[in-house]
């Protein structure tokens, strides 16, 4: 997979700063984990032993494992409300270009229905286009209507690719040419 640069940071919109995670953001990350829908696969939820802990998340931030998955901060208050960015993937499917990343976003429930996901993702899409990507893709569970609406607003198109999952809900593949 061809290596592409991390975005020149911060990315900025009228209301938001998209920046690298700080260790002090670990509690917010834990809150995101705690709020996840029970239909989300177990590997992305807090387990029976309470992992990931805030300490676990602090270590992940220190390691810088996702330099293009950015904290989304409200400019007016400095509060971090979620994340948005791209994830490198070796996902192979018809309609997905090799080396093209996945758009990912997640926001605290108290930040829902205010346009933040769309605003943050538009900034990430602009960065991806300027960085030379030709396409982004996003996987979304069929039951996640709010994220499906955001992706549609952003110009993502649902493909015929559906990864069936009776336990967690089918995963739909969406793509957007840049």
């Amino acid at each position: 997979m061809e290596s592409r640069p991390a975005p020149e940071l911060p990315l900025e919109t009228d209301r938001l700063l998209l920046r690298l995670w700080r260790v002090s953001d670990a509690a917010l990350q834990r809150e995101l984990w705690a709020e996840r829908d029970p239909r989300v696969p177990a590997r992305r939820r807090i387990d029976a032993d309470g992992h990931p802990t805030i300490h676990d998340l602090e270590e992940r931030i220190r390691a810088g494992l996702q330099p293009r998955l950015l904290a989304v901060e409200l400019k007016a208050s400095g509060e971090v409300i979620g994340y948005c960015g791209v994830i490198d993937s070796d996902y192979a499917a018809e309609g997905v270009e090799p080396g093209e990343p996945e758009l990912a976003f997640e926001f605290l429930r108290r930040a829902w229905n205010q346009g933040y996901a769309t605003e943050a993702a538009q900034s990430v899409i602009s960065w991806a286009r300027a960085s030379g990507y030709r396409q982004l893709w996003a996987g979304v569970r069929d039951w996640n209507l709010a994220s499906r609406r955001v992706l549609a607003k952003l110009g993502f198109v649902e493909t015929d690719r559906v990864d069936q999952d009776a336990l967690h809900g089918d995963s739909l593949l969406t793509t957007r040419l840049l």
Side-chain angles (χ1 to χ4, degrees):
M1 183 180 330
E2 180 183 339
S3 177
R4 302 261 171 100
E8 189 171 319
L9 297 177
L11 299 179
E12 194 168 343
T13 72
D14 288 342
R15 302 183 296 166
L16 307 172
L17 280 175
L18 284 74
R19 59 164 176 78
L20 293 177
W21 289 98
R22 298 176 186 141
V23 173
S24 60
D25 297 326
L28 171 274
Q29 283 191 0
R30 183 75 162 50
E31 189 177 350
L32 284 166
W33 279 77
E35 284 190 355
R36 287 187 178 144
D37 189 287
R39 294 171 286 187
V40 170
R43 72 181 185 284
R44 295 196 59 237
R45 289 181 291 143
I46 297 171
D47 69 20
D49 295 327
H51 292 278
T53 65
I54 290 175
H55 177 74
D56 296 334
L57 295 167
E58 288 171 344
E59 290 305 311
R60 289 181 188 180
I61 293 168
R62 281 186 189 96
L65 298 177
Q66 292 281 350
R68 296 181 300 160
L69 198 56
L70 306 171
V72 177
E73 179 180 304
L74 294 174
K75 287 167 110 176
S77 68
E79 177 187 11
V80 177
I81 57 171
Y83 66 79
C84 186
V86 294
I87 300 170
D88 286 330
S89 175
D90 57 4
Y91 187 79
E94 186 175 330
V96 174
E97 296 280 327
E100 299 297 342
E102 178 179 14
L103 176 71
F105 55 85
E106 183 177 14
F107 289 82
L108 294 170
R109 290 176 189 228
R110 64 181 174 265
W112 290 3
N113 299 313
Q114 298 178 58
Y116 296 133
T118 302
E119 187 174 333
Q122 286 171 331
S123 181
V124 170
I125 290 168
S126 294
W127 165 81
R129 183 182 302 111
S131 296
Y133 289 108
R134 294 179 297 174
Q135 170 178 278
L136 293 176
W137 66 276
V140 62
R141 298 285 174 182
D142 60 353
W143 52 261
N144 192 341
L145 299 178
S147 289
R148 289 173 69 186
R149 281 192 298 272
V150 168
L151 291 168
K153 280 188 232 175
L154 295 167
F156 281 77
V157 177
E158 291 184 7
T159 68
D160 293 333
R161 173 70 185 258
V162 177
D163 293 332
Q164 296 190 344
D165 184 338
L167 181 60
H168 301 108
D170 294 346
S171 185
L172 311 174
L173 175 69
T174 68
T175 61
R176 183 178 193 269
L177 294 175
L178 301 178

